[in-house]
Amino acid sequence: MASFESTLREVQGAGRGKNNFNGPEEVTVRRLGKRGVIARLGGYLLHFKWLLFLALIMSLASNLLSLVGPKLSGLAIDAIEPGVGKVDFSRVYYYAALMAVFFLFSSIFAYLLAILMIHISQKIIFKMREDVFDSLGKLPVSYFDTHQTGEILSKISYDIDTVNTSLSTDIIQILTSIITVVGSFAMMITISPPLILVFVFTVPLSFVITKFLTGRTRPLFRARSASIGRMNGYVEEMIAGHKTIKAYNQEKNVIQKFDMHNEEVVGAFYKADYFGTMTGPSVNFINNLSLSLITVFGAILFIKGRISLGNISSFVLYSRKFSGPINEAANIMNEFQSAFAAAERVFRLIDEPREALDIVGAKELTDVTGDVRIDDVTFGYVPEKPVLKDLNLNARPGSLTAIVGPTGAGKTTIINLLMRFYDVNEGAIYVDNNEIRTVTRDSLRQSYAMVLQDTWLFTGTVFENIAYGRENATREEVIAAAKAARVHDFIESLPDGYDTILTEEGTNISKGQKQLLTIARAMLMDTRMLILDEATSNVDTRTEIMIQQAMRNLMKDKTCFVIAHRLSTIRNADAILVVQDGKIAEQGTHSELIAQDGIYKKMYYAQYE
């Protein structure tokens, strides 16, 4: 007993203040910075290191074969004797043929490299999307309560696609640029070391300008990704509520607000691209300047007999190969800024603090009888503003507890705490005398069947939707649950009965029918406790009464919690809790509360006088 008391004190102490028990996984959501993003992307790349090694070999082969071309071109030009006009065509044809062969094989390797990089990038993006979706499944409910769905989808779709584009094309360009720059520089040294001095001035200048401009543009690309997320969030919200928008004739206002978001996105794109495109032309100007200097100094060396005409031609071609990748790299850096900003948003989503871990030694809830007790619970989504204060409740096994009260009184919050979607700030909740923070979340939630006011169906057959919470359910069991929920006849009227495919979120059936299907799903669950959160708000009164009667028979000896606005449907509840201002203002059976002549009686007669 002493051990249990000490554990409970530890639990209650951990639950206060920060509202985390044993803490969420220690992950700090912060700006990763360019180095952090590169390191994280590098981690994904290392998953496929052998494919990347093969890509490096292909890139070396393609670019080295291409680098031979300018040298062969110079040798062909040197087949001409200056001043004489005599041409050794056999040498010209020989070097031209070699150039064609080298360039052909270079192109083949480049093509194979592009295919391989697309394959690698798709594997990386698959893994990244998998990590994001895995992270979403482990995030607390509070994250989805405070973030727009559209913004989350923007990170999964647009941001990851931006990273994919960069990985599949820009990495090839960077590899090509590095090999070409190093190879060209080596070839130019073999041709004329003095001419290399031109790049001592131009190359550092290119790097300084590139570093300066990319440093200024990265925040702009980050702002661009954020603005797209906000616009997608707004669009998703408006599409979900389009019927209400039309009913209230708010199309013009919605369009005006969308125009504001759209203008913000356009402005963010313009600023990012405007300043980003300054890098390429600036570096290109310096490259052209280096070409002019090579031409002048090359002519001087040719006049002095220190370099041949063919070597000048080869040097010029190599200088273009040397400068070209630097210019391309400057342009690629703009795309990398966008990819880094997108990757950072994705990694920040992956790094969001996950739902608090179970305590060490947390036990599994087994053989649940359904004895639920709430002791002196205080809770607020913002701890300084409590929604529930000193709440007490005792639901005996097999009882039906109804929770009623005005909007915002804290009814749904009680359900959130029972399911441990949130942890209490003070007090404790018990199931079969087990403080729920000392048991595993999975076993706790699997002990409940739950039907929410906002129904959820997925694209699949009617059978699959009803059997969703119970693996290996037989057709007979599903039909029995559907009959109990008074939805069997409707299902049989569908084109393919239980094999009828429902569209996404069940949009090809009415809201009332959707709720009946979700109630059938809950009935099929083999649990000892049931939660109904306004579960019959979209069915008519007669159907609701029939469902309640069926549920009382089906859920015999199971503990049920019902949040209801229609007070006539809870008259037979074992206990009715009237919640007001975060506290239980009244408690008793229907007849007892009517006799008290208090809040419940006023609510009841306000509905049915």
Side-chain angles (χ1 to χ4, degrees), residues 5 170 235 247 286 309 312 357 425 507 556:
E5 291 296 334
D170 294 342
V235 170
I286 297 171
L309 188 62
I312 290 178
L357 298 172
N425 299 134
T507 51
K556 190 173 294 183

Side-chain angles (χ1 to χ4, degrees), residues 46-58:
L46 287 177
H47 280 92
F48 312 100
K49 53 182 176 292
W50 295 114
L51 289 177
L52 283 173
F53 179 74
L54 179 60
L56 178 61
I57 297 298
M58 287 186 176

Side-chain angles (χ1 to χ4, degrees), residues 19 69 91 252 301 441 496 552:
N19 193 27
R91 287 174 60 193
K252 288 184 179 180
L301 292 175
R441 275 191 176 83
D496 298 311
R552 287 297 288 166

Side-chain angles (χ1 to χ4, degrees), residues 64-131:
L64 291 177
L65 288 170
S66 177
L67 284 170
V68 178
K71 185 66 176 178
L72 295 174
S73 175
L75 293 173
I77 291 173
D78 282 340
I80 303 172
E81 295 184 17
V84 179
K86 185 179 179 181
V87 181
D88 186 347
F89 283 103
S90 61
R91 287 174 60 193
V92 172
Y93 293 148
Y94 173 74
Y95 291 125
L98 283 179
M99 288 172 61
V101 171
F102 279 109
F103 284 138
L104 174 62
F105 280 98
S106 174
S107 299
I108 291 173
F109 279 116
Y111 173 72
L112 294 175
L113 174 64
I115 293 177
L116 180 59
M117 286 306 300
I118 290 173
H119 178 70
I120 293 172
S121 68
Q122 288 302 314
K123 282 182 171 291
I124 291 171
I125 294 308
F126 176 86
K127 181 74 170 80
M128 189 177 289
R129 282 204 179 99
E130 187 178 55
D131 288 347

Side-chain angles (χ1 to χ4, degrees), residues 203-220:
V203 171
L205 186 59
S206 296
F207 279 115
V208 169
I209 291 176
T210 301
K211 185 174 179 59
F212 174 79
L213 292 176
T214 53
R216 296 295 183 274
T217 55
R218 186 162 186 264
L220 299 177

Side-chain angles (χ1 to χ4, degrees), residues 93-231:
Y93 293 148
Y94 173 74
Y95 291 125
L98 283 179
M99 288 172 61
V101 171
F102 279 109
F103 284 138
L104 174 62
F105 280 98
S106 174
S107 299
I108 291 173
F109 279 116
Y111 173 72
L112 294 175
L113 174 64
I115 293 177
L116 180 59
M117 286 306 300
I118 290 173
H119 178 70
I120 293 172
S121 68
Q122 288 302 314
K123 282 182 171 291
I124 291 171
I125 294 308
F126 176 86
K127 181 74 170 80
M128 189 177 289
R129 282 204 179 99
E130 187 178 55
D131 288 347
V132 170
F133 208 77
D134 179 66
S135 177
L136 288 175
K138 295 176 181 177
L139 291 179
V141 172
S142 58
Y143 180 84
F144 299 96
D145 288 343
T146 55
H147 290 76
Q148 289 181 310
T149 303
E151 185 177 356
I152 298 172
L153 292 176
S154 178
K155 295 175 183 178
I156 298 175
S157 56
Y158 170 78
D159 287 335
I160 291 183
D161 285 340
T162 301
V163 175
N164 176 42
T165 301
S166 184
L167 290 175
S168 60
T169 59
D170 294 342
I171 286 183
I172 295 177
Q173 292 292 336
I174 290 296
L175 282 174
T176 301
S177 297
I178 293 172
I179 297 169
T180 302
V181 166
V182 173
S184 297
F185 187 77
M187 295 300 289
M188 286 189 292
I189 288 178
T190 63
I191 294 172
S192 177
L195 283 179
I196 293 292
L197 295 175
V198 170
F199 297 107
V200 173
F201 166 71
T202 57
V203 171
L205 186 59
S206 296
F207 279 115
V208 169
I209 291 176
T210 301
K211 185 174 179 59
F212 174 79
L213 292 176
T214 53
R216 296 295 183 274
T217 55
R218 186 162 186 264
L220 299 177
F221 282 105
R222 185 186 293 131
R224 186 178 78 171
S225 293
S227 65
I228 292 173
R230 287 191 292 271
M231 185 181 73

Side-chain angles (χ1 to χ4, degrees), residues 516-583:
L516 291 173
L517 290 176
T518 57
I519 290 170
R521 177 194 294 167
M523 289 181 170
L524 187 63
M525 291 283 289
D526 186 19
T527 63
R528 302 295 300 174
M529 296 180 290
L530 172 69
I531 293 175
L532 299 173
D533 185 359
E534 298 288 353
T536 56
S537 60
N538 287 320
V539 298
D540 60 82
T541 304
R542 180 174 177 275
T543 303
E544 187 173 27
I545 294 172
M546 293 170 62
I547 291 173
Q548 294 289 346
Q549 292 172 344
M551 288 178 62
R552 287 297 288 166
N553 294 328
L554 192 62
M555 298 297 175
K556 190 173 294 183
D557 299 326
K558 294 186 179 182
T559 307
C560 302
F561 298 91
V562 178
I563 294 178
H565 280 157
R566 296 180 186 174
L567 303 185
S568 61
T569 62
I570 57 170
R571 293 181 60 172
N572 296 322
D574 298 302
I576 299 174
L577 309 180
V578 182
V579 181
Q580 189 173 47
D581 297 328
K583 294 183 177 181

